Amino acid sequence: MPFLHEPKSREPLWKEWDYLAQKKGVRNTVYSVNGDEFTGEWLDNKKDGKGTQKWKKTNKVYDGDWKKGKRSGFGTLTHSDGKGGFTKEYSGGWKNDKKHGYGTEFYSETEFYEGEWYAGKRSGWGRMYYEDGTIYEGEWYDDQRSGQGMLRLTNENRYEGSWKEDKKNGPGKFYYLDSGQVFEGVWKDDVPKCGTMRDFGRDNAPDPTQYAIPSIELANAEGVVAEAEDQFLQDQE
């Protein structure tokens, strides 16, 4: 009796054609009907790997990593400067099409942020260089200064302490290095509410006050101030 070979099972032709029609691997450039362009790697009809996306409407370009059709990994976003070149907007980590991880955002030529991001917002540790020359270095949450941080002004005066909702809130110190003094106390929405002012490096300050701050004669002055600060903080809870 002759040995018969069973025919191999085969997928329907439509599945084979669909597979052959899918975008996968490296493609030169794929053009969308709205004028957008993508050059790079594909997998299962989605951008996946290295690639460059150009948006016609916004004149922006993203060059970097992709995963399942979204910017994920490391990449750089730029926009046209109107002079034939491009200006960098952001360079760093991405996840699910949003800034995520560590990266640098350029708001203008002199204002930028470098630090941690979460789901498209500044969150974690970061340093912000403002247009007026001031610098904030510290913690962020939900795109606002929140936690512990230091704000340094252009004259080197600085605040070190607690922040909440993008303002000085809670215990902190403000160093007036130009006049040789320091204020230590508690703050509410950028306003000092309770604390003490004392001399701090007054002899070497560039513009010291005319007279030194006199000593406090109150018995247990530190205890009185501490009690007042604690009471203020409790009232804010």
Side-chain angles (χ1 to χ4, degrees):
M1 182 176 178
F3 182 78
L4 299 177
H5 291 278
E6 293 184 5
K8 295 181 179 179
S9 61
R10 185 173 181 178
E11 295 285 350
L13 281 177
W14 69 267
K15 287 191 175 182
E16 182 177 346
W17 293 337
D18 182 66
Y19 174 78
L20 293 174
Q22 286 182 5
K23 293 187 285 289
K24 54 187 178 296
V26 179
R27 290 294 184 99
N28 289 330
T29 301
V30 175
Y31 298 89
S32 301
V33 293
N34 62 2
D36 295 346
E37 304 175 16
F38 178 79
T39 304
E41 299 176 297
W42 296 77
L43 180 65
D44 296 332
N45 268 338
K46 294 181 179 179
K47 303 159 192 170
D48 202 293
K50 301 290 185 181
T52 301
Q53 172 78 38
K54 297 180 180 179
W55 290 275
K56 182 179 180 180
K57 186 176 181 180
T58 60
N59 284 323
K60 292 187 178 184
V61 177
Y62 170 81
D63 181 50
D65 298 324
W66 297 79
K67 187 174 182 180
K68 296 182 179 180
K70 295 182 179 181
R71 292 169 289 185
S72 290
F74 181 87
T76 299
L77 181 68
T78 60
H79 67 266
S80 173
D81 60 6
K83 303 176 182 178
F86 287 87
T87 299
K88 187 181 294 184
E89 284 190 19
Y90 174 81
S91 182
W94 296 79
K95 186 176 181 180
N96 292 328
D97 238 15
K98 295 182 179 180
K99 306 178 188 78
H100 193 90
Y102 192 92
T104 302
E105 171 95 10
F106 299 91
Y107 302 95
S108 69
E109 292 184 359
T110 56
E111 186 169 271
F112 62 96
Y113 167 86
E114 56 181 10
E116 296 176 294
W117 297 78
Y118 183 83
K121 295 183 178 181
R122 293 168 289 185
S123 289
W125 180 93
R127 184 185 292 114
M128 181 74 194
Y129 296 84
Y130 293 95
E131 195 115 35
D132 62 0
T134 61
I135 301 172
Y136 171 82
E137 181 175 354
E139 296 176 296
W140 297 75
Y141 176 72
D142 200 26
D143 226 25
Q144 295 182 328
R145 293 170 290 188
S146 186
Q148 294 297 307
M150 179 186 72
L151 181 69
R152 189 168 75 236
L153 307 182
T154 54
N155 60 2
E156 295 301 324
N157 289 350
R158 66 181 189 268
Y159 169 82
E160 297 179 4
S162 300
W163 296 77
K164 185 178 180 181
E165 298 178 350
D166 218 35
K167 295 180 180 179
K168 307 178 191 73
N169 274 291
K173 296 180 181 180
F174 197 102
Y175 294 89
Y176 298 89
L177 300 182
D178 56 345
S179 60
Q181 296 174 329
V182 58
F183 173 85
E184 182 175 1
V186 294
W187 301 69
K188 173 64 177 177
D189 294 340
D190 278 341
V191 179
K193 293 294 185 177
C194 182
T196 57
M197 179 80 81
R198 57 184 173 84
D199 288 326
F200 180 82
R202 182 174 172 275
D203 293 338
N204 298 318
D207 188 23
T209 56
Q210 184 176 0
Y211 302 105
I213 296 176
S215 301
I216 300 176
E217 301 296 337
L218 180 67
N220 192 21
E222 293 183 0
V224 172
V225 174
E227 182 179 352
E229 291 178 352
D230 289 341
Q231 185 61 51
F232 176 80
L233 291 173
Q234 291 176 15
D235 294 340
Q236 301 306 307
E237 294 179 353

